[in-house]
Amino acid sequence: MKSTELGVLRKSEVYFSSPSQTAKKLYYYPVSAGHFFCVKGYHLIRNNYNSLLITHIIDGTFTFVKDGKHTTARAGDTVILDCYKPHEYYTNDSFESIWIHISGANSFDLFQEIEKNEGNLVKCRDINHVKKLLFRIYEGISGDNPPTELNMSLDIYKLFAELLNPQSIKCKGESNYEDNIQEIKSYISENLNESITVQKLADKAHMSTSHFSRVFKQQTGFSPYDYVLITRLNKAKYFLQKTEMTVAAIAYETGFNSESNFICFFTENEGISPGKFRNLKF
């Protein structure tokens, strides 16, 4: 379907999709998708479109406005925007892009996590994979033999995964990060009953705390603080199921300050007390 918007060249295409009730309830789903070739004069200002926009810039420049700030994406960049509220984007030059508007499931929660960690402009490591996913979704909408809604949902989730963990290509001097972080993870596992601070871990990795925290999350998906807590929790589960250690002893062995703190944290995260968890059969 040809687009008739100002500044959009005639060779551009746009297609629309209507999800089933099942997809609305359970899946991620596309609302529309397009392959656009735009020139100066293209300028979209819209109050809402009840979806999220993911657009990958293949060539040229694409500028979006967020909180009054104009940010320009270039070839290879991917932009994700909240189109549930007023939004604006344009080009002062020209651009080619492949884009989709999506909704469903917990898509907005994923968007907020991406925006918090990466912002609205994301530089993905595997650009070709991002393009492949976007074109596959676009072709699924535009073709006569569309994929199942479940398969479409899986592709959208893979796209979210690329944006959630872009893992920029390592620069010279960063080649040992993976080994460093693995050593830190081993240290955490072997010293759970000690006081483990982010500063101590950063010192062991020979990095500043801010740089270490960024690299650690890039490598593991967790902040150092959250990773320590999750590791303590998982070790406590093992002790509860596989040993006869008292709850107090487990609290000490896994690094919680007291039995009461351990019980409170465990119950809040698992929804049941350590004692009830111990009695579960797996």
Side-chain angles (χ1 to χ4, degrees), residues 3-4 142 184 187 191 242 268:
S3 174
T4 58
S142 63
I184 295 299
Y187 172 82
N191 296 275
K242 300 298 182 181
E268 181 178 340

Side-chain angles (χ1 to χ4, degrees), residues 99-128:
W99 57 264
I100 59 171
H101 280 278
I102 55 177
S103 188
N106 64 331
S107 56
F108 193 74
D109 293 330
L110 291 172
F111 163 77
Q112 289 182 312
E113 187 68 15
I114 293 166
E115 187 177 50
K116 180 179 73 174
N117 294 333
E118 306 296 333
N120 299 100
L121 191 159
V122 184
K123 295 183 179 294
C124 295
R125 177 181 60 180
D126 195 342
I127 294 173
N128 288 331

Side-chain angles (χ1 to χ4, degrees), residues 4 51 67 82 99 130 172 187 199 231 233 254 265 267:
T4 58
S51 62
D67 298 328
D82 174 8
W99 57 264
V130 171
K172 185 177 180 181
Y187 172 82
Q199 182 65 62
T231 305
L233 182 63
T254 53
F265 179 79
T267 304

Side-chain angles (χ1 to χ4, degrees), residues 201-271:
L201 298 177
D203 289 344
K204 286 187 173 295
H206 306 291
M207 302 180 198
S208 68
T209 54
S210 59
H211 185 52
F212 169 73
S213 295
R214 180 178 63 81
V215 171
F216 190 93
K217 184 161 188 178
Q218 185 182 75
Q219 293 285 331
T220 68
F222 294 96
S223 70
Y225 177 78
D226 286 343
Y227 184 85
V228 171
L229 287 178
I230 291 298
T231 305
R232 283 177 166 153
L233 182 63
N234 289 338
K235 191 67 173 181
K237 289 179 182 179
Y238 173 83
F239 285 144
L240 287 166
Q241 281 286 319
K242 300 298 182 181
T243 75
E244 296 182 358
M245 293 169 62
T246 65
V247 171
I250 292 172
Y252 170 78
E253 192 65 27
T254 53
F256 290 91
N257 292 331
S258 68
E259 181 179 1
S260 60
N261 283 344
F262 168 61
I263 292 173
C264 181
F265 179 79
F266 191 100
T267 304
E268 181 178 340
N269 279 270
E270 297 301 310

